[in-house]
Amino acid sequence: MKRPQDKPHDGKTTSGAHPGVSPSRGGEDVGLLDQLAEFSVSAGEYASALEYYEQILSIAERARESSGLLAGVFLKMAHCRSQTGDYDAAVRLLDTALENLPEDAPDLDRCEILNERAFALIRLGEYGEAEHCVRAVTERILDPAAAGELARAQSNYRVIAMRRGDWEAAHQSFEAALAGYRMVNDR
């Protein structure tokens, strides 16, 4: 069963090329291997996908490519390991992904790795460490002012839904507003 966070970042720029990979033959090989790996993942052939990702790593390491590309490949490999139940290997790969993630990488990239790591740690029964990952994601993403405004918007939507007689939407909005206010400790 796929989770919403199962779709790992593909490490591609909008032009379809991998960041840090020169447009020479190596970049073409990486792009083709990445497509084959993605096809293998979608077909549930995780062992084949891992082989393709290993080849990408080999090309990237020989070319001394960017650590951002390496982090993305390690994340994809960890996803494959998680899908096959090898959570220990997934955690090791995710630790390597974090080590290879550039300091200036977007918070969303770091959070994606941390969420995948939390997923694997939960399966291993390492709840304390998994909670640490989840808290790190929350701290990076949650802006208290923005979360408070989102909760307030949900509260307003609740009133609109109640006035229109849509009790289900009103209930859902109330729950969302309540959760948002709790996140920012706002009574």
Side-chain angles (χ1 to χ4, degrees):
M1 175 187 265
K2 292 200 175 215
R3 305 174 320 267
Q5 67 269 27
D6 279 351
K7 186 174 185 245
H9 175 66
D10 63 7
K12 295 181 182 176
T13 61
T14 54
S15 66
H18 285 270
V21 176
S22 62
S24 66
R25 178 74 180 146
E28 293 171 10
D29 289 345
V30 168
L32 176 62
L33 290 168
D34 191 51
Q35 287 177 348
L36 291 170
E38 288 177 15
F39 178 75
S40 295
V41 167
S42 67
E45 296 292 330
Y46 299 107
S48 297
L50 285 167
E51 289 176 17
Y52 292 126
Y53 290 136
E54 288 287 344
Q55 291 177 36
I56 293 170
L57 283 178
S58 177
I59 291 169
E61 288 171 350
R62 276 194 316 264
R64 293 190 170 97
E65 295 300 341
S66 76
S67 55
L69 170 64
L70 295 175
V73 173
F74 286 124
L75 172 62
K76 291 176 181 184
M77 292 175 76
H79 172 74
C80 290
R81 292 292 185 185
S82 287
Q83 292 301 307
T84 60
D86 191 356
Y87 302 112
D88 287 317
V91 170
R92 286 190 301 273
L93 287 164
L94 292 163
D95 289 342
T96 305
L98 285 170
E99 291 168 8
N100 280 283
L101 196 65
E103 289 297 319
D104 62 345
D107 280 344
L108 194 55
D109 290 352
R110 186 171 307 278
C111 290
E112 189 174 9
I113 294 169
L114 289 170
N115 272 327
E116 188 72 28
R117 190 170 188 275
F119 175 80
L121 289 167
I122 289 167
R123 299 310 184 273
L124 291 170
E126 300 289 335
Y127 304 121
E129 198 171 343
E131 184 177 12
H132 177 71
C133 291
V134 172
R135 285 180 195 237
V137 169
T138 304
E139 289 170 1
R140 285 188 176 276
I141 298 297
L142 183 64
D143 173 13
E149 288 304 315
L150 180 60
R152 190 169 169 211
Q154 285 293 332
S155 183
N156 287 333
Y157 184 69
R158 174 188 55 88
V159 173
I160 294 166
M162 285 176 52
R163 299 247 170 112
R164 290 184 173 162
D166 188 351
W167 303 113
E168 182 64 27
H171 177 75
Q172 290 173 354
S173 295
F174 174 76
E175 292 293 329
L178 187 59
Y181 284 129
R182 283 182 180 153
M183 289 180 109
V184 295
N185 294 320
D186 186 347
R187 293 184 171 266

